[in-house]
Amino acid sequence: MNIVNQPEWLDNAIFYEIYPQSFCDSNGDGIGDFNGIIGKLDYIRELGCNAIWLNPCFKSPFGDAGYDVSDYYSAAPRYGTNEDLKRLFGEVHKRGMHILLDLVPGHTSVEHEWFRQSMKAERNEYTDRYVWTDSIWEEPRGMGCIRGISDRDGSCAVNFFSHQPALNYGFYKPDPDKKWQQSMDSEGARATLEELKNIMRFWLGMGCDGFRVDMAGSLVKHDEDGKGTIKLWQNVREFLDREFPQAAMVSEWGEPDKSLQGGFHMDFLLHFGPSHYNDLFRCDEPFFSKRGKGDVSEFVKKYLENYEKSDKKGLMCIPSGNHDMDRLARECYGNELKVSFAFLMSMPGAPFIYYGDEIGMRYVEDLASVEGGYGRTGSRSPMQWDDSTNAGFSSAPADKLYIKQDDSPDRPTVSAQMSDENSLYNEVKRLIAVRQSHSALQSRGGIEFLYAEKNAYPLVYLRTNGDKKILVIINPSDREVTFDCKFPLKEKKIYSVGKGLSVDNGKITVPPCFAGFYEV
Ligand code: NOJ
């Protein structure tokens, strides 16, 4: 592991993810924008978050909500101008916060000028910008493709949806019989990588603090063990160390042993693949349900494997949710949400709060897909600020809103929750404050699981930093549970939701729906 530069602010960063379409609309067109975000920065700061991840905000036909970029160097006009975005960076910094843009290096929109050029039959500067076979009759194995829409005699690999052609960073081991498979150091692949650096240079130069990198593990093709892609990111790391040593890099990869080697500072636990993240909040019987029928042990096992592989640097970020998964409040309710946040705010890696999760915003059921959202659309509805028109999100007529809002009469709002001491909002705010005043609870503190048994409750772990130790006890179930504790629990409670923990001769009895942090 060889991370040369780690921006210090990442150590106690708590991120707030902003989906720009749905956060705050300042000009009444029904879609959120940069000025709207600027107007809400104090809210984010007051909650206690000190960093922002902004979903893609570049020019795009929005076939995948902006993950289909058509110009990496221009802000999407619906959010504002590059100057507005620059002003957003400045306003973020003025408040002592940081901001990551969303970098989409694996694919573009079919409308990107590079792709238009690369579709041409005549060779040009962009012929090798994407992964093309050399015959329309040959499809790139295992990748899906776009074919038959231009004069170029070939099929172009796609990276996600079929309107997202894959950029060419080369193949790890090109098949010598397939001349179209270029190597990582072919001219075309190198040019793509250099252009990626230019894009990063452009936005870092303008003042952003780094990137959340979309599908970071997808760049080099036929690279099963990720060796080529790791090498590619190491090359980017050298560039950053040279030119922008303070830039923060967070990957959507889900394999910290690979991403951290590639020079990323942090990786995400993903809701797909082997992480067992969904066992916590998003399955038939989540661990964080009061039914108490969940199982946390597989999650912990996988977490520890990754923890070991990433040098015991707990740099895996566990999000409360994101724009790709169901809202946390689709499966968890009431105190379950508070206990869930106690877990999220006491794990290593930077916590990421998806906008609205701090007030328990719900998944809006039965929506038609918007901008390639499909089942994800219900998690992307406009923020609920107050009781005014459209919950204070926008002054547009309700049918002009980007996505239909939760229209239930008891929908949560920021203003109502701010004035209720017992609200989820205030619990999350307290939890953030506790985390921020105890280094052992923060990103780089160690973790040791003391009780995480199969199909059993509670979950108990120790967070450490030097000689500071904090015991975390979590019981989402609605029944009392016990475990044997080797630490003498004196009255050094620094936080709890729920009451009534009792200790008898090393046996701890944990009340239902409870989370507590103790200095030991
Ligand atoms: C992951 C993003 O989070 C998701 O929203 C997007 O659709 C895909 N990558 C493709 O870019």
Side-chain angles (χ1 to χ4, degrees), residues 210-331:
F211 302 96
R212 173 270 188 187
V213 178
D214 187 67
M215 296 175 68
S218 74
L219 304 195
V220 175
K221 301 306 179 198
H222 291 183
D223 181 26
E224 274 69 34
D225 299 329
K227 292 201 174 104
T229 306
I230 292 172
K231 197 164 150 217
L232 181 148
W233 285 113
Q234 285 171 341
N235 180 316
V236 172
R237 166 60 37 211
E238 278 168 29
F239 142 71
L240 289 173
D241 282 345
R242 243 184 353 261
E243 297 184 32
F244 299 96
Q246 285 308 303
M249 296 288 283
V250 181
S251 51
E252 187 205 30
W253 194 325
E255 296 183 77
D257 52 325
K258 295 179 181 155
S259 49
L260 300 190
Q261 254 190 79
F264 283 94
H265 299 113
M266 294 183 172
D267 196 356
F268 278 108
L269 280 192
L270 302 178
H271 59 296
F272 50 88
S275 75
H276 284 275
Y277 169 74
N278 283 349
D279 297 3
L280 303 173
F281 315 110
R282 293 173 181 83
C283 62
D284 289 346
E285 289 297 347
F287 181 74
F288 283 91
S289 154
K290 64 177 190 234
R291 289 190 297 276
K293 293 189 179 147
D295 176 32
V296 79
S297 65
E298 295 295 324
F299 165 81
V300 169
K301 196 166 135 208
K302 198 71 211 172
Y303 188 89
L304 283 174
E305 267 171 38
N306 278 326
Y307 189 65
E308 292 297 324
K309 283 195 212 155
S310 57
D311 256 6
K312 301 201 170 169
K313 295 198 182 95
L315 300 171
M316 288 163 283
C317 303
I318 310 184
S320 69
N322 70 26
H323 59 290
D324 291 333
M325 52 177 119
D326 284 357
R327 280 277 180 194
L328 188 64
R330 197 179 192 192
E331 290 284 346

Side-chain angles (χ1 to χ4, degrees), residues 119-133:
M119 282 196 294
K120 292 186 175 159
E122 314 80 57
R123 251 201 100 70
N124 62 59
E125 196 185 336
Y126 300 102
T127 299
D128 296 329
R129 178 63 37 110
Y130 298 84
V131 179
W132 285 88
T133 66

